[in-house]
Amino acid sequence: MECRCAEVCADGGLPVRSYQITVNPLWQTGTINKKNKGANQQVLDKLKVERERGITVKAQTASMIHQFEGKQHLLNLIDTPGHVDFAWEVSRSLAACEGALLLVDATQGIQAQSISVFHVARERGLKIIPVLNKIDLPAAQPEIIAAQMESTFGLDPADIIQISAKTGQGVETVLKAIVDRIPPPVGDTSSPLKALLFDSLYDRYRGVISLVNIKDGVLRKGDKIVSCHTGKKYEVTDLGIMHPEEEPTASLRPGQVGYIACNMKESSEAHIGDTLHRVGQPVKPMPGFKPAKAMVYAGIYPMDSNDFHKLEESIKRLTLTDRSVEVTRESSTALGQGCRLGFLGTLHMDVFRQRLEDEYDANVIITAPTVPYKVVYKHKTVIVSNPTDFPDVSDFGDKVKEVQEPIVKASIIVPQKYLGEIMDLCFAYRGTALAHRYLDTTGDTSSRAIITCQMPLAEIVTEFFDLLKSRSSGFASFDYEDAGYERSDMQKMVFLLNGKPVDALALVVHRSNDTTVARQWVQKLHKVIPRQLFEVPIQAVIGHRVLARKTLSALRADVTAGLYGGHYERKLKHLENQKEGKRQMKRIGSVELSQEAFFDLLRTKKVE
């Protein structure tokens, strides 16, 4: 039985039909029951967040046996996410594959994410099979999109397979192409065992479950194996393939992708990219993976400070299935003890929060997302991801030489009629080095253009993506990659309540936009802070400069209600006494933002 391993690299933002191309081969090969064909069973969407949002956030593995020309072929399929925030999932999965299916929508054309995934697959030397989906729809333009693929990727139009995942048309041709075009693994069963650990998950009864790709040798139940990374030894208690659920087998052979359970208890022991070998038969470790680089940071705190240890344990368990998240402890005077997490993007952050709530019943507050800044002092350079640690304006000149902010190279694919509006949006969000070219030459308004520019990462993590979709009526696709750091005029903004700073609300803003941001946040604070018995000034401050202020009026009792008649000075005397009391309370009183107020303030990305 020959074995092939392929990955489905689907365009981001096309959840339903892209999902059908991964499920249809499972129907064709009899891996899952055809009885309910046509129903959206979501076989590979195992997470609640995936089923609710209709997106793939976690790569899933499925093995199937395909009968072709009198032979049985074992095909290992890995379904990967399409959104840029989960690019590390795609990169890891590609290391376990010999080929990739590049899936493009025949109605919408090439997406920005497809271009970056294509180059990653080509760099790894994988055989790429281009597939054009949704050809059954009236709006499909297979000839035009095929020409786009030829000009963008340099692919031969004759190699592009046209299919409809909904009706099943052409799916058999895809299975045939996997067998014909993707070479079988070159591993040797007689060589010492060498397995690549490319993913993991946690089972409360069996501990850490590792997903591995066997490169050489044979792995059997009861074998004793060693991790090249930690040097720890384990005994394999269970192994098998994902079919698409776990199905135990007697062994795993070269080219197969499967799962193993080996009494691994600590999540830190399952190192992604690790090489496993048999005890007493050492092998040369494989290169592994380049660690994911966090692009966005946010603080996460429990609603009840007594739940911190439970939250920390939940984060540890969840990061076992998502190794791209960076975790460090931090504390805040307003929110108590919590963790500082690094994510690959704002969608990644939002999905992680929802998974904490869905899978671990956590009730959390997440602070506003920030990016890591590089602060250059006279004798050292420090990376600052928490606005509280950012230097004050008074430190510049004497201690701080300059501040650098992260820059990304952005790619936006958009229909021609929205081109001018999207370029204006890029300029408004400090985009530079704008350039564009057309992907096809039809000349009408439906032809598509790709815009490339450099943008500060801090601008992208706000409402940029929402505005991009809004202004393009949902047709624009967006992708970005790290482009290093660049000197910038960034400042720390602090919010004062009754003259006292609130550390959890500190922001890092660009000088060109500081007044607008200050007014927006002061307005929001004025809405969420409950009124006190004394007047509370709310101020946004940079250094000694107050950029915005609103005053929260005091709660007042009607001290003259019991006075009937008499001289008006009697009423004035009571009112003056009340004013004096309010002044004393303001001098010694303090305003504490409740966690409910923080949650109300931070639960929306956009400040109104």
Side-chain angles (χ1 to χ4, degrees):
M1 183 187 295
E2 285 193 343
C3 180
R4 305 286 194 285
C5 186
E7 173 171 339
V8 177
C9 303
D11 280 350
L14 312 174
V16 179
R17 298 294 284 270
S18 298
Y19 177 79
Q20 287 166 339
I21 183 58
T22 61
V23 173
N24 215 303
L26 299 178
W27 285 328
Q28 296 277 356
T29 58
T31 306
I32 59 176
N33 198 338
K34 279 189 179 182
K35 255 183 207 180
N36 298 322
K37 185 175 178 180
N40 186 11
Q41 295 175 289
Q42 294 181 290
V43 180
L44 297 180
D45 285 346
K46 298 181 180 179
L47 302 177
K48 185 181 176 183
V49 64
E50 293 179 318
R51 292 172 179 265
E52 288 180 352
R53 297 189 181 214
I55 59 174
T56 302
V57 302
K58 177 71 180 164
Q60 299 293 346
T61 304
S63 298
M64 64 194 85
I65 297 174
H66 178 49
Q67 199 83 21
F68 180 67
E69 294 183 350
K71 287 185 180 179
Q72 284 188 329
H73 299 267
L74 178 64
L75 308 181
N76 298 313
L77 179 77
I78 302 180
D79 178 28
T80 56
H83 196 277
V84 61
D85 283 9
F86 305 102
W88 200 63
E89 286 279 326
V90 181
S91 178
R92 281 192 298 108
S93 301
L94 285 171
C97 297
E98 281 81 35
L101 302 178
L102 183 65
L103 188 65
V104 177
D105 188 335
T107 62
Q108 294 192 22
I110 297 168
Q111 304 287 289
Q113 301 91 321
S114 302
I115 298 174
S116 60
V117 172
F118 173 82
H119 290 303
V120 172
R122 175 158 283 185
E123 285 171 10
R124 288 190 173 272
L126 301 187
K127 178 64 181 178
I128 298 172
I129 301 175
V131 179
L132 202 55
N133 190 20
K134 301 189 184 180
I135 60 169
D136 59 308
L137 294 182
Q141 299 174 308
E143 293 80 14
I144 294 174
I145 306 303
Q148 282 184 13
M149 295 173 72
E150 181 183 14
S151 63
T152 305
F153 301 127
L155 299 172
D156 186 351
D159 293 335
I160 300 173
I161 303 172
Q162 298 187 13
I163 70 164
S164 168
K166 183 178 181 180
T167 64
Q169 177 187 346
V171 175
E172 187 66 34
T173 309
V174 174
L175 293 171
K176 180 179 182 297
I178 292 174
V179 175
D180 288 342
R181 301 187 198 179
I182 298 179
V186 294
D188 185 1
T189 55
S190 60
S191 298
L193 174 69
K194 182 189 282 188
L196 173 69
L197 193 160
F198 68 92
D199 205 353
S200 61
L201 52 98
Y202 188 83
D203 185 280
R204 65 175 63 186
Y205 302 109
R206 295 179 294 169
V208 179
I209 307 297
S210 303
L211 295 183
V212 296
N213 177 221
I214 307 298
K215 299 296 185 182
D216 285 309
V218 180
L219 182 62
R220 296 182 176 88
K221 188 175 179 178
D223 284 355
K224 290 182 170 57
I225 58 174
V226 183
S227 161
C228 285
H229 181 71
T230 64
K232 292 187 177 181
K233 300 177 182 179
Y234 307 96
E235 182 178 345
V236 178
T237 57
D238 188 21
L239 56 78
I241 60 172
M242 308 299 287
H243 195 63
E245 300 300 328
E246 291 182 7
E247 186 167 308
T249 59
S251 62
L252 291 176
R253 296 178 172 273
Q256 283 192 290
V257 174
Y259 72 91
I260 62 169
C262 54
N263 290 324
M264 195 181 288
K265 298 300 182 186
E266 293 295 326
S267 59
S268 57
E269 296 177 35
H271 183 73
I272 301 301
D274 194 5
T275 302
L276 306 176
H277 63 86
R278 194 171 277 108
V279 172
Q281 298 180 355
V283 296
K284 184 180 178 181
M286 285 175 279
F289 305 113
K290 185 180 178 181
K293 181 181 177 183
M295 307 287 276
V296 175
Y297 288 84
I300 185 166
Y301 300 86
M303 287 286 283
D304 184 351
S305 56
N306 295 324
D307 293 337
F308 169 70
H309 293 293
K310 179 185 174 184
L311 174 64
E312 190 176 38
E313 186 61 30
S314 300
I315 291 173
K316 283 182 180 178
R317 295 280 172 85
L318 192 51
T319 51
L320 181 64
T321 63
D322 190 352
R323 294 303 183 85
S324 58
V325 178
E326 294 181 11
V327 183
T328 54
R329 275 192 178 190
E330 76 169 5
S331 60
S332 163
T333 54
L335 297 172
Q337 202 165 14
C339 294
R340 191 88 185 158
L341 304 185
F343 302 97
L344 300 181
T346 50
L347 177 63
H348 186 203
M349 179 185 78
D350 199 35
V351 166
F352 191 89
R353 175 200 57 78
Q354 187 173 340
R355 289 187 66 187
L356 270 178
E357 294 174 352
D358 292 345
E359 298 172 31
Y360 296 95
D361 198 25
N363 200 4
V364 298
I365 299 171
I366 291 192
T367 61
T370 61
V371 300
Y373 296 95
K374 192 178 286 185
V375 182
V376 182
Y377 292 91
K378 289 188 175 180
H379 304 293
K380 63 178 179 179
T381 300
V382 179
I383 300 292
V384 175
S385 62
N386 191 337
T388 309
D389 302 327
F390 197 84
D392 293 318
V393 174
S394 57
D395 294 332
F396 285 81
D398 295 335
K399 299 177 182 178
V400 179
K401 290 175 65 179
E402 64 178 37
V403 172
Q404 299 175 4
E405 66 174 335
I407 302 296
V408 296
K409 182 181 178 183
S411 301
I412 302 170
I413 295 181
V414 66
Q416 180 186 342
K417 63 180 179 180
Y418 301 109
L419 183 62
E421 201 165 351
I422 299 305
M423 291 186 78
D424 288 342
L425 179 66
C426 293
F427 278 122
Y429 280 78
R430 297 197 283 141
T432 58
L434 261 72
H436 72 279
R437 63 180 176 85
Y438 292 98
L439 296 177
D440 50 49
T441 54
T442 56
D444 57 16
T445 56
S446 65
S447 62
R448 296 160 66 79
I450 179 169
I451 302 171
T452 56
C453 65
Q454 286 194 336
M455 293 183 68
L457 180 60
E459 299 291 346
I460 293 174
V461 302
T462 54
E463 72 272 16
F464 176 80
F465 187 73
D466 293 339
L467 288 174
L468 178 69
K469 286 293 184 182
S470 174
R471 295 196 183 185
S472 65
S473 302
F475 287 107
S477 63
F478 179 63
D479 186 36
Y480 61 86
E481 59 185 38
D482 184 25
Y485 281 82
E486 193 175 89
R487 182 172 182 172
S488 185
D489 195 359
M490 308 304 294
Q491 304 171 104
K492 177 181 177 180
M493 182 180 291
V494 179
F495 294 93
L496 307 180
L497 299 182
N498 199 26
K500 296 176 183 177
V502 183
D503 61 341
L505 293 179
L507 298 174
V508 178
V509 298
H510 193 264
R511 184 183 290 272
S512 63
N513 198 33
D514 53 6
T515 306
T516 305
V517 173
R519 288 174 179 169
Q520 288 177 342
W521 278 82
V522 165
Q523 180 68 29
K524 185 76 181 245
L525 278 167
H526 186 265
K527 289 181 180 179
V528 301
I529 296 174
R531 289 172 67 189
Q532 309 293 315
L533 292 174
F534 52 91
E535 199 176 68
V536 179
I538 304 169
Q539 298 168 298
V541 178
I542 292 180
H544 298 293
R545 187 164 56 105
V546 178
L547 298 174
R549 169 183 170 134
K550 279 186 80 74
T551 302
L552 193 67
S553 58
L555 287 170
R556 289 183 54 190
D558 189 358
V559 293
T560 62
L563 299 179
Y564 300 100
H567 199 269
Y568 75 94
E569 288 185 352
R570 289 182 63 203
K571 290 186 178 182
L572 286 179
K573 183 178 178 182
H574 282 272
L575 291 173
E576 287 299 328
N577 288 340
Q578 185 186 47
K579 284 182 184 178
E580 182 59 30
K582 298 287 185 190
R583 279 194 289 267
Q584 289 181 8
M585 277 194 286
K586 185 176 180 179
R587 282 197 300 270
I588 63 174
S590 62
V591 182
E592 290 188 1
L593 263 182
S594 65
Q595 293 195 329
E596 290 76 14
F598 267 107
F599 183 69
D600 188 36
L601 182 67
L602 301 170
R603 66 182 171 182
T604 54
K605 289 187 292 183
K606 185 177 178 181
V607 180
E608 297 172 356

